[in-house]
Amino acid sequence: MATNGTSDIKRKQEIVSSLCKHFSLDPKAFSSQVPGNDIKTLYINILKSSGKESSQNNDEVMKWIAFADSFPGDSKACYGGLNELNTDLAKKSVLLGNGFTPSEADVIVFSVIHSSVIALSTPEKEKLPHVMRWMDYIQNSEDLGAHFEKILLEKPVFEPQMAKAAAKPEVTSSAKGTVQNTKIADKPDAEKNAKKSDSTDAKKKAKGDKEAVPEKKAPEKEASDKDKELSVSLLNIQVGLIRKAWKHPSADSLLVEEIDVGEAKVRQVVSGLAKYCSPEDLTNCRVVLITNVKPGKLRDVMSEGLVLCASNEDHTKVEPLLPPEGAKPGEPISFSGIDGKPEDVLNPKKKQLEKITPNLFTDEKGVATFKGIPFMTSAGPCTSSIPKASIK
């Protein structure tokens, strides 16, 4: 580990403390082992004492131990390693496996990089969004708040702008007062030079009008409210299982599906998939659908949801997103680091869906994402065979 002696021991103490928390062991039993042992040895000793086997492939765990062991202690030198980690985390919620359960690799890497991330400036943290939401997730799920300082994800973006906007009227008011005092003192001259005064007043009035323009910054609050509507958390996205599918009775481009989403009865959904899939292809297939769209009729057939599909650029290939094996009907799709309650029913007038779907796409490996954050189920991410596709 690229640190000085004191810092090296402190890091290893933090790793031991976090691993013992992960395996429900007393860290005091390993305190004497910290000096003179590397991370790998400490991990193996703790794992043996726990009486458990590694939850992940041991070679993969060792790869992340090597990453932790070589991670530099200097905050400037560490940024390359954090960038590498940020890229790796763009496609998943935890370092190993496809689900949400942190492994010992997550705990070790979190413990090693925490102090370096804390030392970063706000702009530097903003360039590592996947690392930031992963650290927040690991700290909460492993209950490490007592050992590590909390890294705040939310920043008061609009407060400085509002403060600036508020400061301008004070300057304008002061300037106006000065102008008024000058006009009173020079009143006799103004009477002698009426034309000049009128011209000056007109210019001042025009200047005052221009200075009043910044007050239009008030809509900033409205803009920030609209930005909140862009969160994918507004959508109730669930895993569904198509029990039955058939051709729409009066539209060649449409199919009708009965989809099990874990409710008392199946939902009927109309989809524009007839050109790309047959009813037989869809029957008994798992899909991803939005269940809080406003129900309505499509060519006289009621539809109670929206099946999400991936499409290539020229729309010659379209297919429903595929949840992984093991994902259960009705299970909600989640996005790591994004919380919020879905709307009961989306309001078509607010065009929430139209604002969110441009941020839905598959990555180069076909993993479905919202702004690069995977669509996750308890069994892993949702995928498509179409990489870099739009999702609607």
Side-chain angles (χ1 to χ4, degrees):
M1 189 181 297
T3 59
N4 62 43
T6 304
S7 181
D8 178 43
I9 290 174
K10 184 180 178 183
R11 275 193 180 184
K12 287 190 286 189
Q13 286 172 337
E14 289 170 344
I15 291 169
V16 167
S17 178
S18 299
L19 281 174
C20 286
K21 179 88 174 171
H22 181 76
F23 287 115
S24 301
L25 296 174
D26 184 359
K28 292 178 182 177
F30 302 93
S31 58
S32 63
Q33 299 182 29
V34 171
N37 280 316
D38 58 13
I39 297 174
K40 179 180 176 180
T41 304
L42 290 169
Y43 162 69
I44 291 172
N45 291 344
I46 291 171
L47 184 64
K48 284 180 180 177
S49 296
S50 72
K52 300 175 183 177
E53 294 183 359
S54 174
S55 60
Q56 299 293 335
N57 181 298
N58 194 55
D59 290 340
E60 288 295 309
V61 175
M62 290 303 162
K63 183 191 84 170
W64 285 110
I65 287 178
F67 172 88
D69 214 13
S70 63
F71 191 80
D74 180 72
S75 58
K76 292 181 180 178
C78 76
Y79 206 74
L82 291 174
N83 264 322
E84 176 188 334
L85 181 61
N86 190 66
T87 301
D88 195 86
L89 286 167
K91 303 182 284 290
K92 51 193 177 184
S93 296
V94 290
L95 293 178
L96 300 180
N98 292 321
F100 291 105
T101 305
S103 68
E104 48 269 43
D106 291 277
V107 172
I108 291 169
V109 174
F110 175 92
S111 303
V112 166
I113 72 170
H114 179 271
S115 60
S116 297
V117 173
I118 283 286
L120 295 176
S121 65
T122 297
E124 287 173 326
K125 289 175 183 175
E126 288 173 350
K127 292 178 182 177
L128 301 168
H130 306 301
V131 169
M132 298 303 292
R133 56 95 178 156
W134 169 78
M135 293 192 74
D136 182 66
Y137 178 67
I138 299 303
Q139 186 158 19
N140 290 330
S141 60
E142 290 290 310
D143 193 21
L144 297 175
H147 301 284
F148 296 93
E149 180 183 343
K150 181 75 173 175
I151 300 175
L152 297 177
L153 298 178
E154 297 297 329
K155 296 168 282 297
V157 177
F158 293 103
E159 286 184 9
Q161 295 176 359
M162 289 170 69
K164 254 187 205 177
K168 284 189 178 179
E170 291 176 13
V171 175
T172 303
S173 174
S174 174
K176 194 178 285 185
T178 303
V179 171
Q180 287 172 350
N181 291 338
T182 304
K183 283 173 70 178
I184 292 168
D186 296 336
K187 191 171 182 182
D189 293 334
E191 288 173 352
K192 293 175 184 177
N193 303 287
K195 288 184 180 180
K196 186 177 179 181
S197 176
D198 289 343
S199 174
T200 303
D201 287 344
K203 287 179 181 177
K204 285 175 182 175
K205 186 177 184 303
K207 185 180 179 184
D209 290 341
K210 286 180 181 177
E211 289 177 349
V213 170
E215 292 179 5
K216 289 185 179 179
K217 280 201 170 186
E220 257 181 20
K221 188 174 186 302
E222 294 176 17
S224 69
D225 291 339
K226 288 180 181 178
D227 288 342
K228 290 178 184 177
E229 294 179 357
L230 296 175
S231 174
V232 73
S233 64
L234 289 177
L235 307 182
N236 192 10
I237 308 177
Q238 295 176 271
V239 174
L241 179 64
I242 298 178
R243 298 292 187 184
K244 184 180 177 182
W246 63 95
K247 293 181 178 180
H248 192 288
S250 58
D252 292 340
S253 63
L254 302 177
L255 295 178
V256 186
E257 305 100 24
E258 287 185 353
I259 305 179
D260 178 2
V261 288
E263 298 172 334
K265 64 174 187 174
V266 295
R267 285 187 179 233
Q268 181 171 282
V269 177
V270 179
S271 305
L273 288 169
K275 294 180 182 178
Y276 311 99
C277 311
S278 70
E280 293 74 26
D281 291 334
L282 293 177
T283 303
N284 294 321
C285 281
R286 293 182 308 282
V287 291
V288 178
L289 69 158
I290 302 172
T291 55
N292 62 339
V293 293
K294 188 175 181 179
K297 288 186 176 182
L298 289 175
R299 297 290 292 269
D300 299 323
V301 175
M302 180 57 70
S303 183
E304 303 170 297
L306 176 66
V307 174
L308 288 175
C309 298
S311 169
N312 63 359
E313 192 172 354
D314 59 4
H315 302 290
T316 55
K317 188 176 182 182
V318 177
E319 64 182 30
L321 293 181
L322 179 64
E325 288 282 354
K328 298 177 181 178
E331 181 178 334
I333 302 298
S334 61
F335 300 85
S336 182
I338 298 178
D339 298 317
K341 185 180 177 182
E343 296 258 301
D344 291 333
V345 179
L346 296 176
N347 186 342
K349 292 182 180 179
K350 292 183 179 180
K351 296 186 177 180
Q352 294 141 310
L353 194 57
E354 289 86 342
K355 294 175 183 177
I356 295 171
T357 50
N359 295 311
L360 304 181
F361 54 87
T362 63
D363 64 15
E364 65 278 0
K365 293 186 177 180
V367 176
T369 75
F370 167 74
K371 293 184 176 180
I373 302 173
F375 282 56
M376 291 299 295
T377 71
S378 60
C382 301
T383 58
S384 167
S385 67
I386 311 173
K388 296 183 179 180
S390 58
I391 297 175
K392 290 185 180 179

Short mmCIF file of all heavy atoms in Angstrom, two decimals, residues 6 22-23 36 256:
data_model
loop_
_atom_site.label_atom_id
_atom_site.label_comp_id
_atom_site.label_asym_id
_atom_site.label_seq_id
_atom_site.Cartn_x
_atom_site.Cartn_y
_atom_site.Cartn_z
N THR A 6 2.58 5.20 9.46
CA THR A 6 1.45 5.50 10.34
C THR A 6 0.14 5.40 9.60
O THR A 6 -0.84 4.81 10.08
CB THR A 6 1.61 6.92 10.93
OG1 THR A 6 2.86 7.02 11.59
CG2 THR A 6 0.49 7.22 11.90
N HIS A 22 -18.58 -6.68 9.01
CA HIS A 22 -19.20 -7.45 7.93
C HIS A 22 -19.42 -8.91 8.34
O HIS A 22 -20.46 -9.50 8.02
CB HIS A 22 -18.30 -7.38 6.69
CG HIS A 22 -18.82 -8.10 5.49
ND1 HIS A 22 -19.83 -7.60 4.69
CD2 HIS A 22 -18.45 -9.30 4.94
CE1 HIS A 22 -20.07 -8.46 3.71
NE2 HIS A 22 -19.24 -9.49 3.83
N PHE A 23 -18.44 -9.49 9.05
CA PHE A 23 -18.53 -10.90 9.43
C PHE A 23 -19.02 -11.11 10.88
O PHE A 23 -18.98 -12.22 11.40
CB PHE A 23 -17.16 -11.58 9.27
CG PHE A 23 -16.76 -11.80 7.85
CD1 PHE A 23 -15.66 -11.15 7.30
CD2 PHE A 23 -17.47 -12.67 7.04
CE1 PHE A 23 -15.28 -11.36 5.98
CE2 PHE A 23 -17.09 -12.89 5.71
CZ PHE A 23 -16.00 -12.23 5.19
N GLY A 36 2.72 -5.48 10.55
CA GLY A 36 3.48 -6.59 10.00
C GLY A 36 2.72 -7.50 9.05
O GLY A 36 3.32 -8.39 8.45
N VAL A 256 -51.70 -7.33 -27.92
CA VAL A 256 -52.31 -7.21 -26.60
C VAL A 256 -51.72 -8.31 -25.72
O VAL A 256 -51.63 -9.47 -26.14
CB VAL A 256 -53.84 -7.34 -26.66
CG1 VAL A 256 -54.45 -7.05 -25.29
CG2 VAL A 256 -54.42 -6.39 -27.71
#
